Amino acid sequence: MSTQMDNVSAESRSLWGDAWRRLRKNRLALWCLVVVVIYTVTAFYGEVQYRYYQFKDEQPSYQRPDLDSQYLAPSLTRVLKGEDRAGRSVVKELLRHPCGTDGLGRDVLARLVQGTRIAFLVGIVTSIIAIPIGVILGCLAGYFGGKVDDFIVWLYTTMASIPGLLFILAIAMVVGQGLLGVYLGIGLTTWVGLCRLIRGEVIKHKSSTYVTAARALGLGHARIIFRHILPNVFHIVIVTFTIRFPQAISTEVFLSFLGIGVQGEPSWGIMISNSRLRLWQGVWWEMTFVTIAIFLVVLAFNLLGDALRDALDPRLREAG
Amino acid sequence: MFDVPETAMKNPIIEVKNLGLHFGPASRPVRAVDGVSFSIDEGETVALVGESGCGKSVTALSLAKLVSGSSRYVSGSVMYDGKDVLQMEESELRWLRGNEISFVFQEPGMSLNPVFRVGSQIAEAIRLHRKGVDVHDEVLRLLQLVGIPAPEKRMRSYPHEMSGGMQQRVMIAMALACQPRLLVADEPTTALDVTIQAQILELLSELQKQLGMAILLITHNLGLVADVAHSVNVMYAGRIVERGPSRELLRNPEHPYTHGLLAAVPRLTGSVGRLKSIDGSVPHLAQLPSGCKFHPRCPKRKPDCEGVEPELRESGENRAVRCYYPVKQGQHEER
Ligand SMILES: Nc1ncnc2c1ncn2[C@@H]1O[C@H](COP(=O)(O)OP(=O)(O)O)[C@@H](O)[C@H]1O
Ligand SMILES: [Mg+2]
C-alpha cells in the first residue's frame, strides 16, 4: 500500500510531456528543431510578404527585374574583392543583396524566402491530402479486416506499383501545370507507406484487451477506431509527417526543375533550373545557396523524425 | 470474511442454452465451446472453473457476443430478457454491453487504454449510457465505491502510474459505471498478488451486496470460489463436466476432474504437502479424444470411457455430473 500512496504524490505526467522530456535529452534533435523552427518562421514571413504584394496588386520585389544589378555576387565576396561600393558604407553594402542577385538582378535571398514558402506549402498541403487518406484507410483495413482489408491492400499495392512520377505527370496533365498539380500529384501518391504502417499497427492493437474492454462497454466501431486505437498509433503519424515533409519538398524541387511544377514563382526547383545556365561562367551563388537551403531542411527534418520516433514510442514510457 | 446469502432470488437474468462455438476452418474446427448450458439468477454469483484453455473466456464473452476472430456459433442461444443475444443487432448489443452486462478482465494493466487518464476512461463509460448526471461527481463516487484512496488525485493518473490492484479497482469502477445487472469477472485476480487477490474478491462480494447485481466469476482456482460463489460450473475442453451449489460441490466433488482441480489448490492451513497437479494437459480442441474428453488423464478411467461420451446427468438436488463413474459421497480419499 505504501508504494501506491507514494505514487499519488508524484504529479501525473502527460503523454506529450513525457515525450518532450525524452526529446530534450537529445541535443542533435534540439538543434534540428531549432532549424525547423527557423525555416517555419521564414516560410511564414514569405507568405505574409506574398499576401502583401497580392493585396497591393503590384509586382513583388523578388520578381521585379533590376537590370542595373544583374549577376551581383554575394555581398561578402564583393566587399572582400574590394568592388566599387558607390559611396555606401561597408555595413550597408553587406546588407545589399547578401546572397547576390540573379540574371535579372533579383535578390537571391528574397527568392530563397519565397522558395521556402512554396516548399512548406507543398509539404503541408500534400500532408493534409496524404495523411488522412493513409490514416483512415489504414485504420479501416486493420480494424475490419476481411473484404475491406483485401480491397485497401489491393488499392495501395496498385498505387505503389505505378511509378510516382508518372502518376504526378498524369495528374499535371489533367489539372494543368502549377501548384495544384503538384499538391494533388504528391498528395495522392504518398499515402501508401503510412497506410501500410497504420494498418499493421491497428491489427496489433485490435486484439489487445483494452479494445475488447472498450467493446464490452458498448462503444461503437468508429469511436473505438478513432478515439481508442488511433491515439495509440498517433506517434506513427507524427514521425511519418516529419519524414515525408522533406520528401515532398524534394519532389516539388524536382518537378519544378523539370518544368512541370510551379510556374512563374520562385520555387527552389525553378531557381536551380535558372541558375544552372550561368553556373559555368562563375555565377555560383544562386545554385549554392539554394542547395544549402534544401540540404539543411531535409537533413533537419530527417534527423528530427528519427529522434521523434524514439521519443514518442509509447513502449518506451517509463512506469511510475 | 465473506458471507454468502443462502437464498438468492430465483429469477434467471441470463440463460445459456446448448452453446456451441467453433474457431478456424469448418473442415478442422477448434471446438472451443460445445453444448454448454447454464443460467445466472438475479443477484447470484456463479463460478465458471477450469484449467486454462477450457473455453471459459469465450463462453463469458459470448454472453454479450464479444468473441472476435474467426469464430462461428454452431448451436445454442444466450437468452437475455427473452431475447437471444446471439441474434441481436449491433445497436442492441451496444445497449446490452456496459449497460446491462459489463466485464472485468484478467490483465487490468492491459484493459485500460494506456494513453488516457483513468478518470476520463470512467467518464466515457458514464457518458455512453447515462444522460444528465454530473460526470465528474459520478467518477469520484465510483472511485470511492471501489475503495481507491485520494480519488480526486487518482482520476488524473495514467494507468501505468498505478499498481495492478488499483488498476483492477478502476476496471471495476468502469464496469459498474452504468449499474449493470450482470458483472462478468474473467479471472479478475489471476494477475495480482495473493493479498491483493483477497481484497479484490472481497470488494466484489461487498459491491454485490450493495448493488445487488449478479456476478459470473471465472477462475482456474477452485479454492477461490468457496467463499464467494453460490453455484459452480466446472468446465473441461469446452464442456461443463460438473455443476452444483458451491459448498456441496467442494465438499463432495463427483467428477474426477473436479477432484484434480481441488487437489491443485494451494492451502494455507493443514498439512504441508506437495501440490498435486493433474497429469497431462488439456487436449487440443481441434483433436479431442473419443468418449469422455477427460479419460486420457483420468485416474479412474475404465475401458468404456473411451466409447460414447457421457451425458451431463442429474446426480442430486441441483447437481449434475458428466461421468460414468462419479465418485460417490464419502468415497473420495481423505486429503
Ligand atoms: N480469437 C481466437 N481465435 C482462435 N481461437 C481462439 C480464440 N480465442 C480462443 N480460442 C480458442 O478457444 C480455446 C478456449 O480459449 P479461452 O476461452 O480463452 O480459454 P480459457 O479462458 O478457459 O483459458 C483456446 O484453446 C483457443 O484455442
Ligand atoms: Mg481465459
Side-chain angles (χ1 to χ4, degrees):
Chain A
M1 278 309 262
S2 71
T3 53
Q4 288 160 14
M5 291 309 194
D6 295 343
N7 281 350
V8 177
S9 58
E11 206 24 68
S12 173
R13 292 189 259 152
S14 83
L15 207 61
W16 300 112
D18 232 27
W20 171 239
R21 206 162 288 115
R22 275 202 299 268
L23 190 66
R24 230 172 30 190
K25 292 194 196 125
N26 187 340
R27 300 225 134 234
L28 184 61
L30 284 188
W31 280 114
C32 291
L33 194 62
V34 170
V35 172
V36 167
V37 168
I38 291 174
Y39 269 92
T40 312
V41 171
T42 308
F44 191 73
Y45 171 75
E47 180 68 25
V48 170
Q49 197 184 23
Y50 173 79
R51 299 262 153 161
Y52 170 79
Y53 283 118
Q54 225 180 21
F55 176 70
K56 299 244 302 191
D57 201 18
E58 63 182 51
Q59 194 177 30
S61 63
Y62 51 81
Q63 295 283 57
R64 205 178 308 134
D66 176 4
L67 298 180
D68 296 338
S69 50
Q70 282 171 301
Y71 297 124
L72 273 187
S75 55
L76 191 62
T77 324
R78 296 198 311 266
V79 171
L80 289 181
K81 278 195 181 158
E83 281 178 23
D84 179 24
R85 303 209 295 269
R88 283 178 288 262
S89 70
V90 175
V91 176
K92 218 160 172 213
E93 181 68 13
L94 278 177
L95 290 176
R96 189 171 158 263
H97 301 309
C99 296
T101 62
D102 68 0
L104 293 173
R106 299 174 298 194
D107 186 46
V108 169
L109 184 62
R111 289 172 71 76
L112 276 179
V113 170
Q114 284 303 307
T116 311
R117 167 189 151 248
I118 289 178
F120 270 61
L121 268 180
V122 169
I124 291 169
V125 175
T126 59
S127 297
I128 290 176
I129 299 173
I131 288 181
I133 298 180
V135 167
I136 292 174
L137 291 184
C139 282
L140 295 181
Y143 185 81
F144 289 109
K147 289 244 167 5
V148 180
D149 189 32
D150 290 346
F151 173 73
I152 291 169
V153 170
W154 171 82
L155 191 66
Y156 73 56
T157 10
T158 311
M159 285 297 299
S161 66
I162 304 173
L165 197 59
L166 275 187
F167 197 87
I168 295 170
L169 278 174
I171 288 185
M173 297 283 180
V174 176
V175 302
Q177 294 173 336
L179 266 181
L180 183 63
V182 174
Y183 292 156
L184 288 179
I186 302 177
L188 293 177
T189 47
T190 50
W191 53 269
V192 172
L194 178 63
C195 183
R196 210 179 259 150
L197 284 176
I198 294 276
R199 172 180 170 269
E201 206 66 9
V202 169
I203 288 177
K204 239 175 16 196
H205 280 262
K206 180 177 70 167
S207 53
S208 61
T209 320
Y210 79 83
V211 171
T212 310
R215 288 209 305 137
L217 276 179
L219 295 175
H221 293 308
R223 212 171 156 79
I224 292 177
I225 297 175
F226 294 110
R227 206 180 124 78
H228 282 253
I229 300 182
L230 192 53
N232 276 288
V233 302
F234 200 72
H235 60 284
I236 297 180
V237 178
I238 291 174
V239 172
T240 306
F241 174 79
T242 34
I243 306 267
R244 71 175 299 290
F245 200 93
Q247 286 169 357
I249 290 177
S250 324
T251 311
E252 182 272 323
V253 167
F254 184 54
L255 291 175
S256 300
F257 176 80
L258 289 181
I260 46 178
V262 179
Q263 307 290 315
E265 280 185 76
S267 113
W268 289 342
I270 302 259
M271 291 175 77
I272 292 182
S273 172
N274 290 344
S275 63
R276 87 203 133 115
L277 300 172
R278 288 273 180 149
L279 188 62
W280 313 121
Q281 291 158 27
V283 185
W284 52 269
W285 46 90
E286 191 171 7
M287 179 72 88
T288 308
F289 288 119
V290 177
T291 315
I292 291 175
I294 297 173
F295 172 75
L296 273 184
V297 76
V298 171
L299 184 72
F301 265 109
N302 277 316
L303 291 177
L304 187 63
D306 276 350
L308 280 175
R309 198 199 320 265
D310 297 340
L312 288 174
D313 191 337
R315 274 165 301 195
L316 295 180
R317 287 195 82 182
E318 324 119 275
Chain B
M1 184 159 51
F2 312 105
D3 48 15
V4 178
E6 285 298 335
T7 49
M9 285 167 279
K10 287 288 171 218
N11 183 15
I13 53 175
I14 199 158
E15 283 187 273
V16 178
K17 289 181 193 152
N18 189 32
L19 187 71
L21 175 67
H22 291 183
F23 284 101
S27 53
R28 197 168 162 278
V30 174
R31 297 185 164 83
V33 181
D34 199 342
V36 164
S37 305
F38 64 94
S39 68
I40 302 171
D41 290 341
E42 201 88 57
E44 182 193 36
T45 302
V46 172
L48 202 55
V49 187
E51 285 166 294
S52 234
C54 282
K56 306 182 299 291
S57 295
V58 289
T59 304
L61 290 173
S62 298
L63 298 189
K65 208 179 171 195
L66 278 168
V67 182
S68 55
S70 58
S71 61
R72 289 182 307 285
Y73 287 100
V74 293
S75 69
S77 60
V78 176
M79 301 306 288
Y80 183 86
D81 266 354
K83 283 208 79 169
D84 186 356
V85 173
L86 303 183
Q87 311 293 337
M88 279 186 185
E89 302 282 323
E90 188 66 24
S91 58
E92 283 177 289
L93 286 171
R94 293 229 293 272
W95 161 82
L96 182 80
R97 297 169 182 163
N99 213 10
E100 304 285 309
I101 304 180
S102 61
F103 290 78
V104 172
F105 296 102
Q106 174 170 352
E107 293 269 356
M110 317 276 267
S111 318
L112 291 162
N113 194 328
V115 303
F116 296 119
R117 299 175 195 274
V118 297
S120 72
Q121 300 192 42
I122 300 174
E124 183 175 34
I126 297 169
R127 283 199 199 96
L128 194 62
H129 295 292
R130 292 167 65 187
K131 304 278 172 273
V133 293
D134 184 325
V135 174
H136 180 267
D137 287 357
E138 191 60 18
V139 171
L140 269 186
R141 188 187 70 80
L142 285 163
L143 287 177
Q144 268 157 3
L145 185 71
V146 297
I148 287 184
E152 272 283 0
K153 217 158 194 176
R154 272 306 185 193
M155 280 171 74
R156 305 195 35 80
S157 297
Y158 283 93
H160 74 272
E161 295 168 326
M162 301 182 131
S163 66
M166 285 296 137
Q167 289 171 340
Q168 196 60 295
R169 283 171 196 262
V170 170
M171 279 308 293
I172 293 173
M174 254 166 93
L176 297 179
C178 301
Q179 294 144 349
R181 284 169 75 200
L182 172 64
L183 176 72
V184 179
D186 188 352
E187 314 227 15
T189 62
T190 306
L192 306 176
D193 291 348
V194 180
T195 48
I196 312 289
Q197 279 187 13
Q199 288 173 13
I200 295 287
L201 284 179
E202 192 174 6
L203 174 69
L204 282 177
S205 61
E206 194 59 44
L207 289 169
Q208 182 177 39
K209 248 179 281 168
Q210 276 182 40
L211 309 173
M213 71 213 163
I215 295 181
L216 177 64
L217 177 69
I218 296 172
T219 174
H220 61 255
N221 185 348
L222 199 46
L224 288 184
V225 308
D227 301 319
V228 282
H230 303 100
S231 70
V232 177
N233 294 288
V234 181
M235 258 186 107
Y236 185 75
R239 294 148 171 73
I240 290 184
V241 294
E242 181 166 11
R243 84 154 44 106
S246 64
R247 290 196 179 153
E248 260 181 69
L249 186 137
L250 289 171
R251 210 177 298 131
N252 290 309
E254 295 187 336
H255 199 287
Y257 180 60
T258 316
H259 272 273
L261 283 180
L262 263 180
V265 171
R267 303 197 158 255
L268 295 177
T269 56
S271 59
V272 185
R274 268 181 63 85
L275 273 182
K276 283 183 276 183
S277 61
I278 310 172
D279 292 333
S281 56
V282 182
H284 193 285
L285 296 175
Q287 301 160 316
L288 288 171
S290 66
C292 171
K293 304 306 170 220
F294 186 59
H295 85 257
R297 302 170 71 188
C298 184
K300 300 202 160 54
R301 69 169 165 266
K302 306 235 162 77
D304 52 341
C305 293
E306 292 174 38
V308 181
E309 184 176 10
E311 297 286 317
L312 187 64
R313 282 176 295 123
E314 292 279 322
S315 67
E317 200 186 342
N318 292 328
R319 294 200 60 171
V321 63
R322 190 191 284 275
C323 182
Y324 288 129
Y325 306 101
V327 189
K328 280 290 164 249
Q329 196 150 355
Q331 199 180 321
H332 64 281
E333 65 271 45
E334 276 305 314
R335 292 189 302 124

